[in-house]
Amino acid sequence: FGIDLGNGDSEDYQRAIQALHGKKNGNVLQVALLRSLQKAVYQPENRGHFGLAFSHYAHFTSPIRRYPDLLVHRLIKSLMEGERDLKGVRRLGRPRKNKDYLYDMKEVVRLGDHCSFAERRADEAVYEVLEWIKCDFLSDQIGDDFEGVISAVTKFGVFVELSGVHVEGLVHVSTLLGDYYHFDMKSQCLIGERRGNSFGLGDVVTVQVARVDVDDRKIDFELLTHSPLTGKRLARRKLSKGRKQMGNGGPKRRKKR
């Protein structure tokens, strides 16, 4: 994509995301960048927000929708109604008697851990349901063709997100005929050993729905056409070097799958 992440600081992430707005299929890399970040947790210390590049950050909603929101609202209320003079707080009338926060630090840490766990559990449940719905949607479209974009690359194949319906499925590496493919971690591509063809993030493809397993929530595609993004190729120098080593008594070339 031609995007420089610099040192990987929060400001570098922000610049990269902004630069991807004008890129073709840049949303795929935006999602990949977000997935690379650690999941947020609830904790009493202010450590800012890495993704938003904020030095100070508190996550809550108004009106209250979740228990973490209630904890933050109670703290804000205790500060507003307390006796201490605080910058940015203007009080009307006398402080109320019930002015103390209801939880000590140990209890806040415990509640933060519990809320973080409960939120991850809820997200996993939502994900499972959505994956089931997606599989059910495609279960009666086996054999149909769809346009899509490669959204993730692994050593065992590429994941394709269908355009318009946002459903992901796997094109297994064993179905990529005509070459033996290696996964290049740095470029996030599958690279053909003989021809140097590459499959990478953002490439436009056409796939056919091959198999759908609703119970296991798995979708398999077969590749029909592939249009790589321009300029996204691994240097043939590396591939030639690998072939040369094989010719000089190096490791034998594995059979195609």
Side-chain angles (χ1 to χ4, degrees), residues 90-188:
R90 184 177 65 179
R91 300 185 179 90
L92 300 176
R94 294 182 178 181
R96 298 182 182 181
K97 293 182 179 181
N98 187 17
K99 57 183 178 299
D100 295 326
Y101 193 44
L102 302 176
Y103 315 99
D104 58 19
M105 180 61 71
K106 184 177 180 181
E107 182 69 1
V108 172
V109 172
R110 186 190 70 82
L111 290 171
D113 292 340
H114 174 75
C115 291
S116 299
F117 165 75
E119 190 163 294
R120 288 194 299 269
R121 182 178 58 186
D123 289 340
E124 290 171 0
V126 171
Y127 175 81
E128 290 290 322
V129 172
L130 289 177
E131 291 302 298
W132 185 90
I133 292 174
K134 292 174 182 178
C135 290
D136 184 63
F137 169 73
L138 284 184
S139 61
D140 60 349
Q141 303 191 53
I142 295 177
D144 291 351
D145 301 346
F146 293 89
E147 291 185 354
V149 177
I150 294 179
S151 56
V153 183
T154 69
K155 63 182 180 181
F156 55 83
V158 297
F159 286 92
V160 175
E161 181 180 288
L162 303 184
S163 302
V165 295
H166 303 292
V167 176
E168 275 189 332
L170 174 68
V171 177
H172 198 272
V173 67
S174 62
T175 66
L176 300 176
L177 304 178
D179 211 333
Y180 183 81
Y181 289 89
H182 297 276
F183 175 58
D184 184 72
M185 178 71 74
K186 185 176 181 180
S187 63
Q188 287 292 297

Side-chain angles (χ1 to χ4, degrees), residues 3-18:
I3 303 297
D4 184 13
L5 279 179
N7 296 323
D9 299 329
S10 57
E11 293 81 4
D12 296 324
Y13 267 72
Q14 286 293 315
R15 283 193 292 268
I17 291 175
Q18 290 296 325

